[in-house]
Each structure stands twice: as C-alpha cells, then as structure tokens.
Amino acid sequence: MSEDSASPPGNPGQLVADSVEACLEIAATWHAWDGRPLARTVDGKPNTWTPAKALRRITDHLIDHLHQVEALLAGAPSIPDTWHGRFATLDADWGRFTEADYDEACSRLRRLGRWYVLRYAAAGPAAWDAPRPGEWTLRVIAEHVAGVRYYAEQVGALPVLPDG
C-alpha cells in the first residue's frame, strides 16, 4: 500500500490481527488435506503449496515485519530477511496437518497478531504515521502485513464433509 492511500481509523495493528483470523478460518479446513501438493504459478514460476508451507510463510511474514517495527521504534537497523520464502518448499512443508496442528497454529498466530495490536498501542497514534526516511510508516507496514492472508489463500478452504 502506498503511504497516501486512505487508511482506516484506529490501531493499524488490528488489521494484522483480523488477517490472522481470516487465515485461521481458512486453515480450519486443512485437516482434510490429502497430501497432494497444490500447484500454483507465481510471477510466472511454478510454485508448490501445502498447509504447512502456508503456515510457515504466514508466521515468517508476521515475524519479519514485527522485527522491522521493533527495529524502527528502537532506532536500530533490522536484520535482513534471509528466509527462502514462497519459492522454496522445504521437507518439513510436506507434513500432515492434523487438528492438533491447527490448535498450535491458532495459539501461535493469534499471539503474533495480538503482538501487533499491543505494540502499535504502546507506540501510540503519533508513531503510526511518523515519517522514517527510507522506510515505510508503521501504518503502511501493518497494511502490508494484513495481506498475509495471501498465503492461506494459496491452499484455500478445503471441502469438509457435513456433520452426520
């Protein structure tokens, strides 16, 4: 998002927390995953997705930008991101996705989402749009991170049989 786009009022960290909930709503169906990779094309390149890979990318994205926010507020340089990103499918990404995995993801991701809300609240509204040369504002970072649902959408909601 650009810095001059219309921004909703209130704590920008809530955008991230809301996106985490949207991701978890999609992930609630992933216990139905049959183990076959989901093939996508991203930027003209083949890209393989599994539930574990989507959760890894969601988590990495939240951590990466939360670190960016903390470094900006501390006036310190951030550590560059060297993760392999969405174009690498790791061996661990092929694991089954069980109900317990979903519960763990809920605990982990909700805490990370809330961390944005709390950190932005502690920084205060004056910090949200403060210019930082060569960097995004905190609001723009939150708006960018709110796009994290992209990773969940790569797997999508899987069909689940009705109760009964």
Side-chain angles (χ1 to χ4, degrees):
M1 292 213 154
S2 68
E3 292 191 51
D4 59 349
S5 64
S7 299
N11 184 331
Q14 189 62 49
L15 296 172
V16 177
D18 292 345
S19 286
V20 163
E21 289 303 319
C23 290
L24 292 173
E25 185 176 322
I26 294 168
T29 67
W30 291 350
H31 62 279
W33 184 56
D34 62 8
R36 291 182 294 170
L38 297 139
R40 303 276 186 248
T41 302
V42 178
D43 298 331
K45 298 176 185 175
N47 205 228
T48 302
W49 287 89
T50 67
K53 179 179 179 176
L55 286 173
R56 173 176 59 84
R57 292 304 306 136
I58 292 165
T59 304
D60 290 353
H61 201 70
L62 292 169
I63 291 170
D64 184 39
H65 289 290
L66 188 57
H67 168 73
Q68 180 186 16
V69 167
E70 292 292 352
L72 286 172
L73 291 172
S78 61
I79 298 170
D81 170 7
T82 59
W83 284 318
H84 294 286
R86 67 178 177 250
F87 290 110
T89 304
L90 307 177
D91 284 343
D93 294 336
W94 293 99
R96 294 180 315 129
F97 188 80
T98 67
E99 296 89 337
D101 293 313
Y102 175 73
D103 287 342
E104 292 286 320
C106 287
S107 292
R108 183 177 303 108
L109 295 178
R110 284 188 175 126
R111 282 177 173 79
L112 283 168
R114 186 161 184 250
W115 196 343
Y116 277 86
V117 173
L118 297 174
R119 188 62 188 107
Y120 276 63
W128 301 344
D129 297 303
R132 293 177 172 82
E135 296 284 350
W136 288 345
T137 66
L138 298 185
R139 183 181 305 276
V140 171
I141 293 170
E143 291 169 347
H144 168 76
V145 176
V148 74
R149 66 183 72 191
Y150 165 86
Y151 298 115
E153 290 166 350
Q154 296 310 298
V155 173
L158 301 177
V160 177
L161 296 174
D163 291 342

